[in-house]
Amino acid sequence: MDSLSINSLLEELKNPDATVRDKATRKIWRIWFQQKGIYGLEIIDRSQKLLDAGEIAEAETALTALIKDQPDFAEAWNRRAFLYYSIGDYQKSLADCQMVVQINPIHFGALHGMGLCYAALGEYGEAIRAFKRALEIQPYSLVNQKLILECTFRFSYDGR
């Protein structure tokens, strides 16, 4: 990844102009998806089609094979985390999100995913921390702001 390009896009995520932020977000996602070239992108696309068709085991197999082949491909881990989250396996999703952030600490999508997993598991304090980390990267993210408020309410209600 071109760190100069990424750094400038990260700065654009903090721009008050929503158009600038949206454009930067799309560019960052494109960089992440294309990190391993056409091979990785094709497998991710195929896994998404399998997931959309309800062929979850096949999608998981494709992503797991890609992860074994290219363990430093953060987006492969992120796509598998999404798959696990979508079937309610929050522990596996959380573990994959943590791998994404270990590989790519600025992956706001994985940080958001971690927050969603923690919230689904009732660990609201951890969810708040994950959403706040995502907000450090994308300060205008209304969804993360909203989820912090919801988790804060739930945390103060049940103390977790």
Side-chain angles (χ1 to χ4, degrees), residues 1-4 6 31-32 35 103-104 106:
M1 277 190 276
D2 178 3
S3 60
L4 267 177
I6 287 284
I31 290 167
W32 289 344
Q35 178 193 359
I103 295 165
N104 181 0
I106 59 157

Side-chain angles (χ1 to χ4, degrees), residues 12-146:
E12 289 177 10
L13 294 178
K14 296 174 172 119
N15 192 303
D17 183 337
T19 306
V20 171
R21 292 192 312 269
D22 292 344
K23 189 174 176 184
T25 300
R26 283 192 306 276
K27 285 181 181 179
I28 290 170
W29 278 111
R30 190 174 319 118
I31 290 167
W32 289 344
F33 271 94
Q34 295 175 350
Q35 178 193 359
K36 293 294 182 175
I38 194 74
Y39 169 73
L41 190 56
E42 284 176 352
I43 293 175
I44 286 175
D45 285 344
R46 185 163 41 93
S47 73
Q48 186 60 50
K49 287 179 177 127
L50 289 165
L51 185 59
D52 291 344
E55 298 176 31
I56 291 154
E58 294 85 350
E60 179 185 13
T61 299
L63 290 169
T64 299
L66 179 57
I67 287 166
K68 283 183 180 170
D69 186 46
Q70 302 192 10
D72 64 335
F73 187 13
E75 201 52 42
W77 290 94
N78 193 53
R79 297 315 302 162
R80 194 173 71 173
F82 174 79
L83 180 148
Y84 289 144
Y85 183 84
S86 71
I87 61 170
D89 195 335
Y90 305 121
Q91 290 291 355
K92 282 185 177 178
S93 180
L94 181 58
D96 279 1
C97 286
Q98 289 167 333
M99 278 301 301
V100 176
V101 174
Q102 186 176 325
I103 295 165
N104 181 0
I106 59 157
H107 201 297
F108 48 80
L111 290 166
H112 174 79
M114 286 172 63
L116 292 175
C117 290
Y118 281 126
L121 294 167
E123 297 179 33
Y124 302 115
E126 290 299 322
I128 291 166
R129 279 188 274 290
F131 292 133
K132 283 184 175 180
R133 284 179 63 197
L135 269 181
E136 289 171 11
I137 301 163
Q138 279 186 310
Y140 288 93
S141 171
L142 294 178
V143 69
N144 286 326
Q145 293 172 23
K146 177 181 175 271

